[in-house]
Amino acid sequence: MNTRSVIRRVRGLPASDGAGVKLTRVIGQPALDMLDPFLLLDAFGSEHGADYIAGFPDHPHRGFETVTYMLAGRMRHRDNHGNSGLLTGGGAQWMTAGRGLVHSEMPEQNEGEMRGFQLWVNLPAAHKMMAPRYQDIAPEQIPELEPAPGARVRVIAGEAFGTPGPVRDIVTAPLFLDIALAAGAQLQVPLPAQHTAFVYTFEGAGVRIVDSTLDNGELGVLGAGDMVELAAGADDARLILVAAQPLREPVARWGPFVMNTPQEIQQALADYRDGRL
Ligand code: CO
């Protein structure tokens, strides 16, 4: 097997979104505009209600998928088609915005820890106008494996060590893993050779991949290969490992709309304005 190494390291930027939620923008910022098919990665985490209480009131999406993975906290989701759901710590939501919807994502707590990720995954031209779809995943639906001593893996999407995750039928065939490594633990994870892949570390002092050490809060873009070897140092480490098929299509992007051409963006704005989402 061919080991992937880290070809680029990126640190997130402090940012604010929604009605004033403090977060760290890792993908979708000047240092890493996008990583085909990934359009955005936000990490949020605070124990102070003031940092998140304003939430994400009604806003539209079209042309891609939003993935929310909650580590802690409670977030209520509602859209203009009558769908709603509660995301809780350890759970996930894979939302295919497709041709469009207007939704809100609001904290269902005033204080205490709120922590997790939102990832945006692009849709190919042929699927951008598909019907919106939700996969709401409760924490207990996510398999938790121990494939090597000191390694704990939660499989959210894709398949790892023979175990499929609960998220199904996504066009870009994604893999989304939450991996915790005890100090000194090592883990080899097979990855589809054609997939774009990255690691983002969010607990501990970092993780070693071949001859690079990713610090806590760093994203490592992985180069070519069909597996990655992760090694924790003297501290426990925790990271997400995410991979998906790149689209290699033109990207026209305007806020919450991601299409292939500027004309399609104009159409999305008109459809939103006229209440057609
Ligand atoms: Co949204």
Side-chain angles (χ1 to χ4, degrees), residues 11 23 32 44 57 88 93 113 140 143 160 211 215 219 223 235 256 259 264:
R11 216 165 238 301
L23 47 82
L32 187 60
F44 51 91
T88 59
Q93 180 191 65
E113 190 179 23
E140 61 273 13
D211 48 7
D215 294 333
L219 178 144
D235 289 304
M259 304 301 290
E264 289 167 343

Side-chain angles (χ1 to χ4, degrees), residues 89-276:
Q93 180 191 65
W94 201 290
M95 182 187 89
T96 304
R99 69 172 170 260
L101 48 81
V102 178
H103 78 159
S104 62
E105 297 150 294
M106 300 299 290
E108 216 169 71
Q109 65 190 45
N110 299 317
E111 54 187 12
E113 190 179 23
M114 175 76 75
R115 194 167 165 228
F117 298 98
Q118 189 165 88
L119 175 72
W120 289 9
V121 184
N122 207 359
L123 281 170
H127 291 81
K128 282 190 177 294
M129 296 297 275
M130 69 187 281
R133 190 180 62 171
Y134 293 90
Q135 297 190 50
D136 284 320
I137 311 295
E140 61 273 13
Q141 289 176 265
I142 298 177
E144 199 165 307
L145 318 173
E146 196 183 333
R152 195 217 62 196
V153 178
R154 303 189 82 223
V155 187
I156 297 137
E159 187 185 310
F161 309 102
T163 300
V167 174
R168 299 289 160 85
D169 300 324
I170 303 296
V171 191
T172 48
L175 177 73
F176 193 127
L177 306 178
D178 170 359
I179 300 178
L181 297 173
Q186 297 187 16
L187 184 66
Q188 296 186 355
V189 186
L191 290 172
Q194 307 307 318
H195 277 29
T196 300
F198 70 84
V199 166
Y200 179 77
T201 59
F202 62 95
E203 271 178 29
V207 64
R208 188 163 45 78
I209 299 172
V210 192
D211 48 7
S212 304
T213 299
L214 286 181
D215 294 333
N216 190 19
E218 261 191 323
L219 178 144
V221 179
L222 301 180
D226 53 9
M227 62 98 108
V228 61
E229 278 189 57
L230 307 165
D235 289 304
D236 295 355
R238 194 165 170 197
L239 56 98
I240 50 172
L241 170 60
V242 183
Q245 181 76 48
L247 303 180
R248 300 189 176 92
E249 290 182 358
V251 174
R253 182 169 183 167
W254 192 92
F257 305 125
V258 184
M259 304 301 290
N260 297 105
T261 68
Q263 291 75 17
E264 289 167 343
I265 292 291
Q266 289 307 317
Q267 187 62 52
L269 285 162
D271 288 348
Y272 176 44
R273 184 192 59 218
D274 298 339
R276 287 192 293 262

Side-chain angles (χ1 to χ4, degrees), residues 76-89:
R76 172 69 61 179
H77 160 268
R78 272 196 185 87
D79 78 7
N80 63 331
H81 299 279
N83 300 297
S84 79
L86 181 66
L87 286 88
T88 59

Side-chain angles (χ1 to χ4, degrees), residues 15-80:
S16 170
D17 208 338
V21 178
K22 284 188 186 164
L23 47 82
T24 301
R25 182 143 295 162
V26 192
I27 301 176
Q29 47 114 348
L32 187 60
D33 178 40
M34 68 173 283
L35 182 65
D36 185 19
F38 307 113
L39 302 160
L40 176 140
L41 175 67
D42 284 342
F44 51 91
S46 177
E47 291 172 11
H48 308 292
D51 290 340
Y52 58 73
I53 196 68
F56 301 88
D58 277 348
H59 59 277
H61 290 291
R62 173 180 277 181
F64 61 101
E65 311 191 81
T66 69
V67 183
T68 307
Y69 179 48
M70 296 291 286
L71 297 168
R74 295 162 65 83
M75 188 88 88
R76 172 69 61 179
H77 160 268
R78 272 196 185 87
D79 78 7
N80 63 331

